[in-house]
Amino acid sequence: KIVREVFLEVLRATYWEQVEQGKFVGTSEPNMLLASASIARDRCGECLSDWSILRRYVNIEPYGQAALEKDVARKRAGSQTWLQRWRLKRDLNAQRSVLQVVDAFIQAHEAAQASIATFFGQDESVDTPEEAFVILESQSEVFEATALLGRIAKPVQRYMCTAMESYSVC
C-alpha cells in the first residue's frame, strides 16, 4: 500500500508541475487529474485506480473519421446549420479535453514509473516486488489510456495538438 501511496503522490506532484507549466487550456482538466489521484489514494489498498476514475470523466464517444469527413463536407458545401456548427464545436472541445487529460495522465505515469524506485531500496533500480507490481499496474493503466487515444481520428488529433501548441505559445 505504501508504494502505491508514494506513486500517487509523485503523480499529483507531476500534475501540479504540468499546471505550473501552463499545459492546460481549460480549468476542469487539472481538477479532474488531481481529484483522480486523491480518490485513488484513498482506495490504494487494492490497486491503482486513478485511470478507472478518470475514465468516467472522459467517457465520451471519440469524434471519429466518418463524422469529421461528414462535417467537413457540409462546411465546404455551405450547408452547415447553426446547430451543426455548435455540435461540432462542442464535440471538438470535448476531444480537446480528452486529449489533454490522457496526454497529461500518460506523461505523469511515465514520470512516476521512472522515479518510484528512488524512494525505496538501496538505489534507483527496482528492488522489491511491490515496486515492480505498482509499475506494472501503472503500465496497464497507460495502455488503456493509449487505447482510448487510438479511437480518436488522426486528423482530429493533429488539429487538437496544433491548437494546444498554438495556445501554449500565445
Side-chain angles (χ1 to χ4, degrees), residues 51-68:
W51 176 248
S52 63
I53 294 163
L54 271 178
R55 184 68 177 99
R56 287 184 228 143
Y57 290 115
V58 297
N59 190 16
I60 59 171
E61 277 304 308
Y63 193 70
Q65 185 69 35
L68 178 68

Side-chain angles (χ1 to χ4, degrees), residues 51-153:
W51 176 248
S52 63
I53 294 163
L54 271 178
R55 184 68 177 99
R56 287 184 228 143
Y57 290 115
V58 297
N59 190 16
I60 59 171
E61 277 304 308
Y63 193 70
Q65 185 69 35
L68 178 68
E69 288 172 358
K70 186 192 294 184
D71 282 338
V72 168
R74 275 193 201 124
K75 191 170 185 175
R76 284 186 185 147
S79 64
Q80 200 175 34
T81 67
W82 172 86
L83 181 60
Q84 289 166 333
R85 282 191 305 274
W86 176 81
R87 284 181 182 157
L88 175 62
K89 184 178 179 179
R90 180 199 60 192
D91 291 345
L92 289 175
N93 279 333
Q95 295 307 302
R96 175 199 48 80
S97 180
V98 169
L99 287 170
Q100 281 187 315
V101 167
V102 173
D103 184 51
F105 174 86
I106 291 170
Q107 287 180 12
H109 267 261
E110 288 173 347
Q113 289 169 17
S115 66
I116 190 67
T118 61
F119 296 101
F120 302 96
Q122 304 297 324
D123 54 17
E124 294 184 7
S125 63
V126 177
D127 298 332
T128 66
E130 291 83 8
E131 292 172 67
F133 192 75
V134 169
I135 290 171
L136 286 173
E137 285 179 326
S138 172
Q139 288 173 341
S140 175
E141 288 192 333
V142 167
F143 179 79
E144 289 180 40
T146 305
L148 177 68
L149 283 182
R151 293 176 47 211
I152 300 173

